[in-house]
């Protein structure tokens, strides 16, 4: 009767129950120190296709993504206003993180909780200050790619134990 998702579904009620951060990930071998939010958006849309355009070596950016039917990918598409111009799609976040960790020229976006063996590529703002997805910045929603984790409920009367559970979630 209840489902956890990063996007609300029109056929369900939604309650925000937590926050997660979308983070750019690269392989540990990738020496690129950081990426600005506009450059990340340009890379994800396919406008930037080479690490050289980001100040790195002359190598193509291998964009990886989750398949379009995942909650995380739907949330990222909604945030960007378009699908990621990815070269490779993966069925699970674990597969995505593993593949990116093996490819020094790969770039992907995933949930902070699903980073796996890949390295976080820190974001920077327009002044070059780092935007890190730490607990405080995500909780305050100061990190630009913070997403609410939704608890979806059907639009009908739930059994008593489910109603009591939802009531419990409303208390500190």
């Amino acid at each position: 009767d209840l489902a956890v998702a990063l996007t609300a579904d029109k056929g369900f009620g939604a309650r925000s129950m937590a926050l997660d951060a979308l983070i750019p990930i690269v392989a540990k071998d990738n020496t690129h120190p950081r990426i600005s939010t506009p450059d990340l958006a340009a890379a994800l849309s396919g406008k930037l296709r080479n690490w050289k355009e980001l100040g790195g070596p002359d190598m193509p950016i291998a964009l990886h993504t989750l398949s379009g039917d995942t909650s995380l990918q739907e949330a990222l598409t909604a945030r960007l206003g378009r699908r990621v111009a990815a070269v490779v799609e993966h069925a699970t976040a674990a597969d995505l993180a593993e593949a990116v960790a093996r490819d020094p020229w790969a770039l992907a976006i995933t949930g902070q909780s699903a980073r796996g063996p890949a390295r976080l590529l820190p974001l920077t703002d327009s002044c070059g200050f780092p935007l890190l997805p730490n607990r405080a910045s995500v909780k305050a929603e100061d990190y630009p790619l913070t997403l609410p984790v939704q608890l979806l409920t059907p639009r009908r009367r739930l059994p008593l134990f489910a109603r009591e559970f939802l009531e419990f979630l409303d208390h500190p």
Side-chain angles (χ1 to χ4, degrees):
D1 282 337
L2 304 174
V4 176
L6 292 171
T7 56
D9 187 309
K10 290 184 171 95
F12 291 87
R15 293 173 181 238
S16 187
M17 65 177 232
L19 295 170
D20 198 3
L22 290 175
I23 59 168
I25 56 171
V26 294
K28 293 184 188 217
D29 301 6
N30 185 315
T31 58
H32 204 71
R34 67 193 65 79
I35 190 167
S36 70
T37 51
D39 285 346
L40 177 63
L44 294 175
S45 69
K47 291 179 184 169
L48 295 179
R49 298 183 181 271
N50 196 303
W51 284 102
K52 186 175 183 176
E53 297 172 275
L54 298 170
D58 186 13
M59 292 300 291
I61 297 171
L63 280 177
H64 290 248
T65 190
L66 287 170
S67 60
D69 61 346
T70 61
S71 175
L72 190 135
Q73 194 58 38
E74 289 173 0
L76 179 58
T77 299
R79 180 64 64 99
L80 291 175
R82 65 172 55 182
R83 289 187 52 84
V84 173
V87 178
V88 184
E89 281 193 3
H90 302 276
T92 68
D95 292 344
L96 172 76
E98 289 285 337
V100 169
R102 287 190 306 267
D103 183 352
W105 311 118
L107 173 65
I109 297 285
T110 191
Q112 178 158 300
S113 56
R115 177 173 58 184
R119 176 177 71 86
L120 165 72
L121 183 61
L123 289 174
T124 60
D125 64 10
S126 58
C127 296
F129 291 107
L131 301 168
L132 299 173
N134 58 39
R135 182 177 290 201
S137 65
V138 171
K139 188 174 182 178
E141 297 187 53
D142 289 338
Y143 182 72
L145 296 176
T146 299
L147 287 177
V149 178
Q150 306 284 336
L151 182 63
L152 305 180
T153 59
R155 296 194 184 268
R156 61 176 165 73
R157 185 174 171 92
L158 292 169
L160 178 60
F161 68 91
R163 293 192 314 264
E164 289 174 340
F165 177 68
L166 293 174
E167 185 178 323
F168 167 77
L169 291 178
D170 286 340
H171 295 291

